[in-house]
Amino acid sequence: MKAKVFRPHLDDVERLSYGKKASKRRGTGSRYHCHRLNQEERRLFELAKVSHFLTVRGNGYRKERKGSPLQNIWRQRSDALATLAVCVEKRSTIDAVVIDFSTLRVWDDAPFVAMIVNIVLKEKYPDLHELVVDDAIVSSLVQTPINWDAIKTRPIWAINERLITIPCERDVAKSLAADVVKEGSQFILHEFQNKRIGTTSHAIKQVIDYDGSDDESIDLNDI
């Protein structure tokens, strides 16, 4: 039977962005996590709805709110839509594409990490693929345990982010973000929201080495 996981309602995400309380799913917001957007943040939020990835200056931190309302509300929206939360952070020297897998709410995100790393990065951005593999960014993420009970029951602000951060030039960042979003739109999550199955370190290595050449989907029986 398909497991039900906590997800916010899109109407509540919009309400939070205006500083209002969630009305459809209790616990969606938190007074300790800022979500209300100012005028400029709302403009960027609306643009992100069209491109399906967020673009912010730096990490979007706003001193007076002691946090990043825009990043927080984008993560909420991505959670509501069961998609990756993808963000381009525009920095002074080199930009970064930040991919948060926690919004998928699965008990094992290694196969989905593998799709992004091997299908998007390895095929289209080999230099960036080499970077994230050599820096152990991927292996560190997939070997970090997922708290399945939290994933099922807690709002996204109470769940740890599961990030891959990819430094890249500005002219590459947006095309990479768009390619990540496109690949992520093909994810099939329901098999990874059923009763948890044990995953070994050998299986993790298999899915991270997966190159997508033999099949268009990942078979749960292979891990």
Side-chain angles (χ1 to χ4, degrees):
M1 179 181 294
K2 180 179 177 181
K4 292 182 179 180
V5 297
F6 184 106
R7 288 202 186 274
H9 195 285
L10 277 174
D11 288 350
D12 283 341
V13 175
E14 288 297 315
R15 288 178 63 84
L16 291 177
S17 76
Y18 285 98
K20 301 176 181 179
K21 292 183 178 180
S23 61
K24 296 183 181 295
R25 194 72 192 265
R26 185 176 180 181
T28 297
S30 167
R31 68 179 63 182
Y32 303 107
H33 293 78
C34 51
H35 291 100
R36 187 173 72 244
L37 305 179
N38 62 24
Q39 185 175 357
E40 174 60 14
E41 289 167 340
R42 184 160 303 283
R43 183 183 71 84
L44 295 174
F45 185 45
E46 294 301 322
L47 288 173
K49 291 178 183 179
V50 177
S51 65
H52 306 292
F53 62 86
L54 182 66
T55 302
V56 297
R57 186 179 299 278
N59 61 5
Y61 183 85
R62 187 142 58 93
K63 185 177 180 180
E64 63 270 24
R65 298 303 307 278
K66 298 181 180 179
S68 176
L70 185 52
Q71 291 268 36
N72 291 344
I73 204 69
W74 184 247
R75 193 172 181 229
Q76 288 272 13
R77 179 177 171 82
S78 301
D79 183 26
L81 295 172
T83 60
L84 295 170
V86 182
C87 178
V88 174
E89 295 185 351
K90 299 168 67 175
R91 302 174 180 178
S92 57
T93 54
I94 191 167
D95 292 354
V97 174
V98 182
I99 310 166
D100 185 0
F101 289 80
S102 67
T103 49
L104 299 181
R105 291 189 183 264
V106 292
W107 57 261
D108 180 14
D109 56 15
F112 306 106
V113 173
M115 289 181 180
I116 298 301
V117 171
N118 293 314
I119 296 176
V120 177
L121 292 179
K122 190 173 183 179
E123 291 185 6
K124 296 184 177 181
Y125 307 89
D127 291 344
L128 297 180
H129 175 267
E130 184 176 351
L131 174 67
V132 299
V133 171
D134 288 351
D135 286 355
I137 296 171
V138 176
S139 60
S140 176
L141 172 64
V142 297
Q143 292 182 54
T144 300
I146 291 176
N147 184 338
W148 179 232
D149 288 336
I151 289 292
K152 287 192 298 183
T153 61
R154 298 179 187 174
I156 199 67
W157 53 262
I159 295 172
N160 292 332
E161 295 171 319
R162 293 183 62 79
L163 304 178
I164 292 180
T165 300
I166 308 169
C168 56
E169 299 294 337
R170 183 156 298 178
D171 60 346
V172 173
K174 288 190 176 181
S175 64
L176 172 58
D179 286 336
V180 169
V181 168
K182 182 178 179 180
E183 184 62 33
S185 69
Q186 301 180 52
F187 289 174
I188 300 174
L189 304 181
H190 67 87
E191 291 182 343
F192 293 84
Q193 292 172 334
N194 293 332
K195 184 177 180 181
R196 182 168 182 173
I197 301 171
T199 305
T200 66
S201 59
H202 174 68
I204 289 174
K205 183 178 187 301
Q206 282 186 316
V207 294
I208 292 304
D209 288 343
Y210 170 79
D211 62 9
S213 59
D214 296 327
D215 195 354
E216 294 179 354
S217 61
I218 292 180
D219 189 339
L220 196 60
N221 295 322
D222 291 338
I223 62 174

